[in-house]
Amino acid sequence: MEDILQNKDFKNDKIFWCSSCINMSTRPRITFNSNGICNACEWTEEKKKLDWNKRLEIFKKEILKQKKKSNNYYDCLVPCSGGKDGTYVAYKLKEEYGLNVLTVTARPPLETEIGKKNLDNFIQKGFDHIHVTPNYETMRKFNKAGLIFKGSPYYGWLIAMFAVVGKIAVQNNIKLVFYGEDGEIEYGGSTKNKNQPFFDIDYIINNYFEGDYNEISKNLSLNKSQMYWFNLDKKDFLSNELKFTHWSFFEPWDS
């Protein structure tokens, strides 16, 4: 990608849209080329030319390595709300690749009836599933802080979606977690991990939480018990050699 310009460098810092789609210049970490085309559109064209078989081989080798290293009951973990993304990934890994998949949901603060119905329908298709309800008061405080300081009223739930999944993986000695698509790459954002199959806690904090997770957590003055399902302490995950990945790295993701 040539002549990439950060959105802050455009003339007068005006708000504008991608010349090819509806992405806005206000989207965090998004970049545009000299023709005003966002990096999400560039990626859409770029992935048409990638050798996806080569990427799939990385997946197969990693799964084989994990199976040899451990006699665990579960081969991997898939976060799943009952929506299309997690359902699709869990189905692919279980039915097409024969993996024993554990699925996990972090309960949102405001569930909808259709959301609960979708999740129930998914579980009834034969998937092992753990549903975690994080501390409600902690969730409320994080969400309030997220709204005030970041304009993100579901900030606490976003944290829980990663912390809960990591905790359950560590508890079950699972080494590999599959999320759906990498929104940064697919929809415009950081391209740091475009050619990297795995990501870590630093990537999560710096991108999804824009680097201020630790500061906000400290300011809330929550004790260890309250933080249990919201704790993204890097040491906890490194000790388990836990790897996070997006299934969109291994096939051309169709949102």
Side-chain angles (χ1 to χ4, degrees):
M1 295 184 292
E2 297 180 351
D3 299 320
I4 289 294
L5 300 175
Q6 297 289 344
N7 52 348
K8 65 181 180 181
D9 294 328
F10 270 72
K11 186 177 181 180
N12 299 324
D13 288 337
K14 290 182 178 179
I15 294 176
F16 59 92
W17 282 260
C18 170
S19 59
S20 179
C21 74
I22 59 172
N23 261 337
M24 289 181 68
S25 58
T26 53
R27 183 175 172 86
R29 297 170 299 282
I30 196 169
T31 58
F32 297 81
N33 66 18
S34 56
N35 294 317
I37 296 175
C38 73
N39 55 353
C41 288
E42 289 187 311
W43 173 243
T44 298
E45 295 303 314
E46 184 179 346
K47 65 183 179 181
K48 294 176 182 178
K49 303 172 184 177
L50 287 180
D51 185 347
W52 290 100
N53 288 328
K54 187 176 181 179
R55 287 190 169 208
L56 201 56
E57 285 303 312
I58 297 174
F59 158 73
K60 292 177 180 178
K61 287 180 181 178
E62 185 63 31
I63 287 297
L64 185 61
K65 183 169 69 175
Q66 297 295 346
K67 283 179 172 288
K68 286 182 177 179
K69 283 172 58 177
S70 173
N71 292 319
N72 283 356
Y73 181 70
Y74 294 109
D75 299 312
C76 60
L77 185 152
V78 176
C80 189
S81 67
K84 62 180 178 60
D85 296 353
T87 298
Y88 174 75
V89 175
Y91 177 87
K92 290 277 289 190
L93 295 175
K94 180 176 184 286
E95 300 298 335
E96 293 192 20
Y97 293 100
L99 301 181
N100 199 7
V101 178
L102 176 63
T103 61
V104 173
T105 302
R107 193 185 304 275
L110 295 173
E111 289 183 295
T112 64
E113 289 305 314
I114 189 63
K116 289 188 286 188
K117 181 179 179 180
N118 286 343
L119 184 58
D120 287 342
N121 287 340
F122 166 75
I123 296 170
Q124 290 170 17
K125 300 302 180 183
F127 289 92
D128 287 6
H129 178 261
I130 294 176
H131 206 159
V132 175
T133 305
N135 184 294
Y136 184 85
E137 184 62 12
T138 305
M139 178 82 77
R140 186 189 67 79
K141 289 181 177 180
F142 267 115
N143 284 342
K144 182 178 179 180
L147 175 62
I148 293 172
F149 297 111
K150 303 177 68 62
S152 174
Y154 65 98
Y155 186 69
W157 185 45
L158 182 62
I159 294 170
M161 279 191 275
F162 290 99
V164 164
V165 165
K167 286 279 189 185
I168 296 297
V170 170
Q171 290 171 4
N172 289 274
N173 201 30
I174 297 171
K175 307 295 185 183
L176 197 55
V177 173
F178 286 90
Y179 284 91
E181 83 276 41
D182 187 340
E184 292 290 299
I185 298 170
E186 296 294 328
Y187 310 127
S190 171
T191 57
K192 179 182 177 181
N193 266 36
K194 184 173 68 172
N195 296 311
Q196 300 296 324
F198 307 108
F199 63 101
D200 57 16
I201 295 299
D202 286 337
Y203 181 82
I204 293 170
I205 291 175
N206 291 333
N207 289 286
Y208 299 127
F209 306 129
E210 298 177 341
D212 53 8
Y213 159 80
N214 291 318
E215 181 181 354
I216 289 177
S217 300
K218 183 178 180 180
N219 289 338
L220 291 179
S221 300
L222 298 164
N223 62 40
K224 188 175 181 180
S225 175
Q226 292 172 311
M227 280 292 295
Y228 185 79
W229 292 115
F230 299 86
N231 186 9
L232 288 172
D233 189 335
K234 191 174 181 178
K235 298 191 296 293
D236 293 345
F237 303 111
L238 285 177
S239 62
N240 192 57
E241 300 179 332
L242 179 62
K243 290 183 178 180
F244 296 92
T245 188
H246 294 100
W247 183 249
S248 61
F249 180 87
F250 304 107
E251 73 168 45
W253 186 263
D254 184 347
S255 59

